[in-house]
Amino acid sequence: MTCALDMHHRKTIRLKGYDYSQAGAYFVTICTKDRECLLGNVTGSEMHLNEAGGIVRSVWNGLPDRFPGICLDEFIVMPNHMHGIIVIIDVGAGLALPVDAKITVGAGLALHDPMSTVGHKQQGVHKQQGAASSAPTTLGDVVRAFKSIAAINVNRLLNLSGRPVWQRNYYEHIVRNEAELDKIRKYIADNPFNWGTDENYNE
């Protein structure tokens, strides 16, 4: 099945029995609630992030600090969704909790990190601040952390509390080879140019 076909149908394709903590590259798409354009706008085939979009980009860029066993490949934040490639490179690396509950991202902006509280529990594993989980990192762990941290900080920016920022689920696709990886990278890079015909397009 081609990447373009997967993206068109936007169906979750989690494979039964597949270990999502194993090393590999994963293409993910995360949409805002009701595909509301919260994160900026596209003009002249270029994406222009607003402040909320900048927060989302900063949280995404900070994921490797939280999850040392991953790295980020091509990604883009669009007005009402984002695409990104997450590469799990170390299946034994757990969640590294930061010492401080705020992450400075420049221009005086500090992001609140809801995962940094002492004694935080996730998936039945008790985590003390500064400690790493004994369980391997999964793709779901990474996406859940991203959505949670980004949502809290976007709501703080907009003076809202508890408002859903993201749709509950997300699209994922296992990148199977280099040719497919290059195709997905190009799709991501071309997203602003193709915004007018994108299935997520919403004025």
Side-chain angles (χ1 to χ4, degrees):
M1 186 180 293
T2 66
C3 174
L5 184 58
D6 287 341
M7 300 242 351
H8 176 71
H9 289 292
R10 187 72 70 193
K11 290 181 179 177
T12 300
I13 54 170
R14 293 178 179 84
L15 299 182
K16 186 176 181 179
Y18 185 82
D19 181 2
Y20 279 82
S21 68
Q22 74 179 22
Y26 302 89
F27 171 53
V28 299
T29 297
I30 305 167
C31 296
T32 60
K33 176 71 171 174
D34 299 325
R35 287 178 168 76
E36 183 180 357
C37 292
L38 292 174
L39 309 177
N41 61 79
V42 175
T43 50
S45 298
E46 291 186 4
M47 178 62 200
H48 299 277
L49 297 176
N50 57 22
E51 195 169 356
I55 287 173
V56 168
R57 180 179 58 189
S58 294
V59 173
W60 184 265
N61 280 327
L63 287 173
D65 294 330
R66 166 173 291 282
F67 299 96
I70 73 165
C71 65
L72 302 177
D73 199 277
E74 190 80 30
F75 77 96
I76 191 165
V77 178
M78 293 293 289
N80 61 5
H81 66 281
M82 71 158 298
H83 299 297
I85 300 170
I86 298 172
V87 183
I88 297 179
I89 54 178
D90 181 1
V91 299
L95 174 66
L97 295 180
V99 174
D100 199 335
K102 291 186 178 180
I103 308 166
T104 302
V105 295
L109 178 65
L111 300 182
H112 173 69
D113 186 346
M115 306 292 187
S116 63
T117 55
V118 176
H120 176 70
K121 291 184 179 180
Q122 183 177 2
Q123 294 188 340
V125 179
H126 187 72
K127 298 180 176 66
Q128 294 295 335
Q129 193 160 341
S133 166
S134 59
T137 297
T138 69
L139 180 65
D141 293 334
V142 178
V143 174
R144 278 191 296 273
F146 164 75
K147 291 174 73 174
S148 176
I149 298 169
I152 285 174
N153 285 283
V154 168
N155 277 336
R156 175 173 292 175
L157 170 71
L158 301 176
N159 292 317
L160 299 171
S161 178
R163 175 196 182 194
V165 170
W166 306 107
Q167 288 189 356
R168 288 187 60 188
N169 211 340
Y170 62 93
Y171 169 91
E172 64 188 29
H173 176 78
I174 304 164
V175 183
R176 303 176 190 279
N177 53 54
E178 285 287 336
E180 189 174 54
L181 179 62
D182 288 340
K183 182 184 294 186
I184 293 172
R185 283 170 173 162
K186 185 177 188 312
Y187 174 86
I188 293 172
D190 289 347
N191 229 230
F193 181 79
N194 296 320
W195 172 234
T197 58
D198 193 288
E199 65 178 309
N200 293 306
Y201 178 75
N202 185 15
E203 289 186 313

